[in-house]
Amino acid sequence: MTTRTKIKDVLKGNLIDQTVNVKGWVRTFRNNSFIAINDGSSINNIQAVVNFENTNPDTLKRITPGACVGVTGKLVASQGKGQTVEIIVSDIEIYGDAESDVTKPNSYPLQPKAHSLEFLREIAHLRFRTNTFGAIFRVRHTLAYAIHKFFNEKGFVYMHTPIITSSDAEGAGEMFRVSTLDPKNPPLTETGEIDYKQDFFGKSTNLTVSGQLEGELAAMAFSDVYTFGPTFRAENSNTARHLAEFWMIEPEMAFYDLKDNMALAEEMLKYVITYALDKNKEDIEFLSQRLLDEEKNKPQTERSELNLLEKLNFCLGNEFAKITYTEAIDILRESNHNKKKKFQYIIEGWGADLQSEHERYLVEKHFKKPVILTDYPKDIKSFYMRMNDDGKTVAAMDILFPGIGEIIGGSQREERLEKLESRMKDMHIPTEEMSWYLDTRRFGACPHAGFGLGFERLVLFVTGMTNIRDVIAFPRTPNNCEF
Ligand code: 4AD
Ligand code: MG
C-alpha cells in the first residue's frame, strides 16, 4: 500500500513518475474525468484523472463536490492548463459521500460557484472547505505560531492566565457572569440580593476580560512574560471589529517604559507579518486577488490605493508614526473633515474619546501609515496606567492600523502604590479585593509596561478581510452563538 502524501507535497513535483496516494475532499469533477481534490494543506488542488471506461459507474456517480476520496496513481507532468502535475488514477476509494442533487434534502451546500461571505457564515462548519477560508485559517495558524516564536526567541515566558476570574481588569463592567446558582431560584441575602457566597466559588465570578493583571504578577518574577488566550467582553457592540469572545496576546515586561513598550510592539507586528508573508505566500496572494476582484464592484473613489500585498509591505517598510493624543486632537480639530462635519462625532476639543472614524482618519488620510498614539487623558483610560507628571494624562499607547483602527492597546503601569491606590479609589475599584494586585507594588515594585494585541484584528489586517466574523472559526457576537 502506498502511504498517503499531503497534496502540498505532491504539488512540489519531485515525486514525478512515482505512485502516490492522496486523500481529501472533492472540489469539482469535470467531464467524468478530472477530479480536483483538496486536503487543506495548500490553496491549490491536485488534479486526479480517472479513466471512466475502467471505473465502476457507481463509483463515478459518487465523486461529487464535498465527497471525501482517496486516490492512488502515477504522478505525471500535466498536459492541461492550470496545473503542473496530475495523478493518473489507478485506484479510487470513497470515504464519505456528499449529496449533490440540490433538489434533495441535505444536499451539500457548497456547490462550485461563488458564495457570499454572509451565506458562508451561516454554514461556518463547512466554510473551511472554500479557498477563501482555507487561506484565512492557514494564515491565522501561521500568525499564532509566529507570535510564540517571536516571544520565545526573546526569552519571554508564556503564562496561562485564568479564564474564570473574580476581577474586572479593565474596570469597564463588560463581563459575562460565571455561576452555578439556579437562575429561577437563587439564594438571597437578608437584604434581598443574590447571595454569591453560596455560588460555586463562594463569590461572584466572571469570564476574564484580560490576563494583564495576572501577567503583571508574573512579570515581577520572570521579567518578561506574555499571555495568549481567549478573552470575553459583553459589550453590546455589533460592529465588524468586535467579538464577544476573542483572542488576545498580552506581553508584560519589567523595567520597560512606554518607549520600550512601543518599540517592542512595532517589532513584534513587523516580525509576525513578515513571517506570514514568507510562509503563506500563495494564500496571501490569493486573498490579495480576491480583494481586487471584490473592489472591482466598488466605485473608483472607494477603492483602496494599495492592494493587500502592497499594504502589508508598506506597513513593514515604514516606521510607525508616533504622536501624542494632544497632537492628534489638534490634527483632527483642524482637519477639513472636522470642519465640514464629515465625522459622525465632531471633535470639539481636548478630552474627547477617539472613535474609530477618527483613528482611521489619522492612519488612512493624514499619516498614511500605522500610528502610535500616546499620553491619553486619564479620564478615558484604565486605572492601572501610569500617571504622567502633568497630572492630566497617562502613559498609554494605542496602535492604529489602516482599515482596522485600534489593533493594540497598552501602557506603562502605575508602579507607585499610593498613586495607584488613590486612582483606584477615584474610579471606585475595590482596593481590598485587589490586595493581591497591590502586593506587587508593596514588594519589590519596579517600572513596567505591557500591551494587548487583538489577535483577530491582526488576522483581519493580514488577510485583508473586513468583517471580524470571518477570521475566527466560530464567531460569538450579540444574538449569535451557533455551533
Ligand atoms: O485596549 P484593550 O481593552 O486593552 C486591554 O485589555 C489591556 N489589558 C491590554 C494590556 O495592556 N495588556 O484591548 C486590547 C486589544 C484592542 O486593541 C483590540 O485589538 C482588542 O484587544 N479588542 C478586541 N478585539 C475583538 N473584539 C473585541 N470586543 C475587542 N476588544 C478589544
Ligand atoms: Mg483599548
Side-chain angles (χ1 to χ4, degrees), residues 4 74 108 111 132 178 183 208 239 248 270 311 323 330 345 347 371 375 387 393 399 455 460 465:
R4 172 191 169 220
K74 193 165 148 190
Y108 185 58
Q111 291 307 315
T132 299
V178 173
T208 187
T239 78
M248 184 153 59
K270 288 180 172 170
K311 207 172 72 174
I323 58 163
D330 288 343
Y345 295 89
I347 296 286
V371 177
D375 304 293
M387 186 69 72
T393 60
I399 303 192
F455 187 54
L460 269 183
M465 301 302 290

Side-chain angles (χ1 to χ4, degrees), residues 169-170 174 209-213 227 231-233 235 237 241-252 261 381-382 384-385 397-399 404 406-411 413 449-458 468:
E170 291 304 303
E174 292 166 334
V209 295
S210 158
Q212 177 195 322
L213 303 190
T227 71
T231 310
F232 308 86
R233 303 239 171 133
E235 50 190 331
S237 35
R241 298 175 317 118
H242 286 90
L243 290 163
E245 176 179 305
F246 63 100
W247 288 67
M248 184 153 59
I249 295 101
E250 295 183 274
E252 192 69 35
N261 204 23
K381 288 292 181 188
S382 302
Y384 51 72
M385 297 191 176
M397 64 170 210
D398 274 9
I399 303 192
I404 310 284
E406 179 189 337
I407 195 165
I408 279 183
S411 73
R413 317 305 188 192
F451 61 83
L453 165 67
F455 187 54
E456 283 74 20
R457 295 201 184 165
L458 172 68
I468 202 161

Side-chain angles (χ1 to χ4, degrees), residues 175-209:
M175 297 168 301
F176 289 101
R177 181 178 294 291
V178 173
S179 173
T180 54
L181 294 178
D182 177 2
K184 278 195 233 113
N185 189 21
L188 299 179
T189 61
E190 279 171 9
T191 51
E193 276 142 26
I194 295 180
D195 186 7
Y196 287 107
K197 284 212 176 73
Q198 295 187 48
D199 204 347
F200 189 90
F201 295 104
K203 54 159 82 167
S204 157
T205 50
N206 51 275
L207 295 177
T208 187
V209 295

Side-chain angles (χ1 to χ4, degrees), residues 52-68:
F52 77 92
E53 282 171 5
N54 295 346
T55 311
N56 181 334
D58 286 337
T59 305
L60 282 179
K61 261 193 233 148
R62 293 172 65 193
I63 308 173
T64 59
C68 186

